[in-house]
Amino acid sequence: MNTLVIGSQWGDEGKGKVIDFLTETADYVARSQGGSNAGHTVIAKGKKYVLHLIPSGILWPGKVNVIGNGVVINPTSLVEEIEYLRNEGVAISPANLLISDRAHVVLPIHRDIDAAQEEALGDQKIGTTKQGIGPTYADKARRVGLRMADFVDPERLEKVLKARIKTANEELERLGWPAADPNVTLDAVIAAANVLRPHICNTIPVLNQAVKEGKTVLFEGAQGAMLDIDFGTYPFVTSSNTSAGGCCTGSGVAPTRIDHIIGVCKAYTTRVGAGPFATEDDEIGDYLHGLGREFGATTGRPRRCGWADGVVLRYSSMFNGFNEMAMTNLDGLDEMKTIKICTAYRLGDQILEYPPALIEEWEACEPIYEELPGWMQDTSKCTTWEELPENCKAYVKRFGEIIGCPVGTVGVGPDREQTIAVPH
Ligand code: IMP
């Protein structure tokens, strides 16, 4: 059984908990897009880890973890992550961590270009993580990028790296940004390449062989579907396909080999960075922040908060082909007297069931809400569907109807035990 786990909103949906649960029975865990812009908080056997590039199966002995061809890898960050995990007692070797030779390399220069581009945009900036993700994918599309395959032969690496640093510095100069010291970049990348070299291979046949042998492969999506470069709130998106299709192109495992797709969503909505957010609402934002919830895992920045957006989730369920939703943070609504869910957008005299393409139009959309009575009760101790308050069960069922995809599980707290199966 091969499963994709995809964030259905703007990231930070709580994928880590769902992935941790599924990892237990997986043989292989693969990442197929994004890079160190992702921050995956995983609680494995009661201990908390924050992972950026390495699939969460690394926390379990005997699982093979694959960083697929669609991922962009900052080699220094990856080495730091390996060291962090080793210090935590996690064993990492070429037997349990494989890196695709086709994955593109994030260089220090890409981070500089990311920062320079953001600064140049002024108040129009995207609010990127400044990890160099966009510029690296841009180089990939421009066919000038470095790939992990370039790390295999040290002599070749030095040659291609020097050439790339030269052209990238010319680019930085054009942006009015100080040029990077070529030797610092060279030394840092070469040092990291020496550590990563034994892990680099063609992961495409490895994953396909695993599928052929009937092994269980779990694909760990990063970010969220509304940050997808094709389907998201363009240009306020990341630079990869964060949706289900990206798992296939970013791993080399064909769509016909995928058995099940789970969309992870919060019971409400959050987003970090700029861009349209029709259901953004101060009442719920102030309330959640007051509880100490919804602060970024890596930056500590408060996330933007709002009600569940049925337009976004209906769209996301459609283009991802979700079989079921894993709803998280339902307990975040425990004290809400009235709960709103957006069923459609009003744009001038039009009613929209799906989001518009133009960002100005999306910004101008007014949410049409359905209001449901809250349950005003602590759900965090509930362990079965029957124990949940009636109004809570009604919200979960109505949520599934509005978005056109059933909710399969609900989360009422961060622990594994705080996950409840929803009867069909
Ligand atoms: P980039 O991926 O760093 O280029 O950032 C583009 C947009 O995606 C910004 O709005 C970021 O805040 C957002 N973003 C990138 N990665 C994540 C993530 O893992 N969680 C939530 N938002 C993210």
Side-chain angles (χ1 to χ4, degrees):
M1 174 93 158
N2 304 316
T3 305
L4 308 187
V5 177
I6 305 283
S8 61
Q9 296 157 315
W10 281 283
D12 308 311
E13 296 90 350
K15 294 181 287 294
K17 188 174 133 180
V18 179
I19 285 164
D20 174 42
F21 181 73
L22 293 170
T23 301
E24 198 168 353
T25 51
D27 302 301
Y28 287 69
V29 185
R31 274 280 305 274
S32 45
Q33 45 70 226
S36 39
N37 50 349
H40 286 173
T41 307
V42 189
I43 298 170
K45 297 190 196 111
K47 199 164 165 184
K48 188 169 157 180
Y49 301 85
V50 180
L51 303 174
H52 301 281
L53 278 161
I54 301 182
S56 53
I58 203 76
L59 304 172
W60 299 81
K63 318 264 177 211
V64 180
N65 296 278
V66 175
I67 302 182
N69 54 280
V71 177
V72 289
I73 300 175
N74 179 322
T76 314
S77 305
L78 181 52
V79 169
E80 280 168 9
E81 198 167 322
I82 291 173
E83 280 166 3
Y84 150 73
L85 287 169
R86 283 193 175 136
N87 287 337
E88 296 285 331
V90 177
I92 301 182
S93 75
N96 71 345
L97 179 65
L98 311 182
I99 303 169
S100 169
D101 52 8
R102 268 83 167 170
H104 277 248
V105 179
V106 182
L107 295 170
I109 296 146
H110 290 121
R111 281 190 176 182
D112 292 341
I113 296 174
D114 199 347
Q117 283 174 340
E118 279 285 88
E119 197 173 282
L121 283 171
D123 59 9
Q124 300 296 304
K125 70 174 179 229
I126 310 284
T128 74
T129 59
K130 299 209 178 101
Q131 294 294 320
I133 304 298
T136 307
Y137 279 117
D139 274 7
K140 177 177 176 177
R142 289 197 300 153
R143 294 158 291 186
V144 296
L146 240 67
R147 300 186 301 168
M148 295 308 287
D150 294 311
F151 279 20
V152 174
D153 172 0
E155 252 176 61
R156 187 167 187 283
L157 173 62
E158 190 165 336
K159 207 169 80 200
V160 290
L161 201 51
K162 274 184 178 157
R164 186 64 197 108
I165 292 169
K166 187 167 170 286
T167 52
N169 268 342
E170 287 161 6
E171 217 165 300
L172 275 176
E173 231 170 84
R174 278 198 299 278
L175 287 164
W177 203 257
D181 181 335
N183 293 326
V184 172
T185 304
L186 204 65
D187 292 349
V189 176
I190 288 173
N194 291 339
V195 178
L196 301 178
R197 193 167 290 120
H199 299 269
I200 301 169
C201 63
N202 185 355
T203 53
I204 299 161
V206 175
L207 281 172
N208 279 283
Q209 185 60 28
V211 171
K212 209 168 165 186
E213 287 171 9
K215 299 266 195 294
T216 300
V217 185
L218 176 66
F219 293 87
E220 191 177 349
Q223 289 91 40
M226 297 318 292
L227 289 169
D228 185 283
I229 189 148
D230 282 280
F231 306 116
T233 44
Y234 190 90
F236 297 98
V237 291
T238 190
S239 299
S240 65
N241 283 113
T242 55
S243 50
C247 286
C248 296
T249 54
S251 69
V253 175
T256 48
R257 308 286 182 259
I258 306 299
D259 302 304
H260 198 66
I261 309 182
I262 300 176
V264 187
C265 64
K266 280 182 176 151
Y268 44 89
T269 314
T270 65
R271 145 163 232 180
V272 290
F277 184 172
T279 60
E280 188 166 20
D281 184 283
D282 283 348
E283 184 202 349
I284 183 165
D286 293 345
Y287 168 71
L288 291 166
H289 294 145
L291 293 178
R293 297 171 83 121
E294 302 309 343
F295 291 92
T298 337
T299 60
R301 277 187 307 171
R303 296 181 182 132
R304 298 165 66 192
C305 301
W307 299 108
D309 186 338
V311 175
V312 155
L313 288 166
R314 183 183 296 131
Y315 185 51
S316 179
S317 301
M318 179 177 67
F319 67 73
N320 284 294
F322 294 142
N323 298 104
E324 61 172 305
M325 304 302 293
M327 183 193 273
T328 65
N329 289 273
L330 183 57
D331 57 312
L333 297 178
D334 279 353
E335 290 171 34
M336 289 285 160
K337 227 179 176 156
T338 304
I339 297 172
K340 294 185 194 173
I341 177 163
C342 167
T343 55
Y345 292 163
R346 181 174 289 111
L347 178 65
D349 54 9
Q350 297 177 71
I351 303 293
L352 305 182
E353 294 219 337
Y354 298 102
L358 287 178
I359 213 74
E360 308 89 274
E361 289 192 351
W362 200 325
E363 297 275 12
C365 283
E366 301 251 350
I368 299 173
Y369 285 119
E370 187 170 308
E371 294 193 1
L372 285 96
W375 45 94
M376 305 293 286
Q377 208 175 310
D378 178 11
T379 56
S380 65
K381 311 272 181 318
C382 296
T383 53
T384 62
W385 176 251
E386 288 67 36
E387 281 172 61
L388 288 172
E390 286 309 314
N391 285 354
C392 180
K393 291 195 266 193
Y395 176 67
V396 172
K397 287 288 180 186
R398 185 68 189 126
F399 187 103
E401 281 167 14
I402 289 170
I403 71 170
C405 179
V407 179
T409 55
V410 293
V412 291
D415 295 336
R416 244 176 191 242
E417 296 69 37
Q418 292 170 299
T419 305
I420 299 171
V422 179
H424 292 307

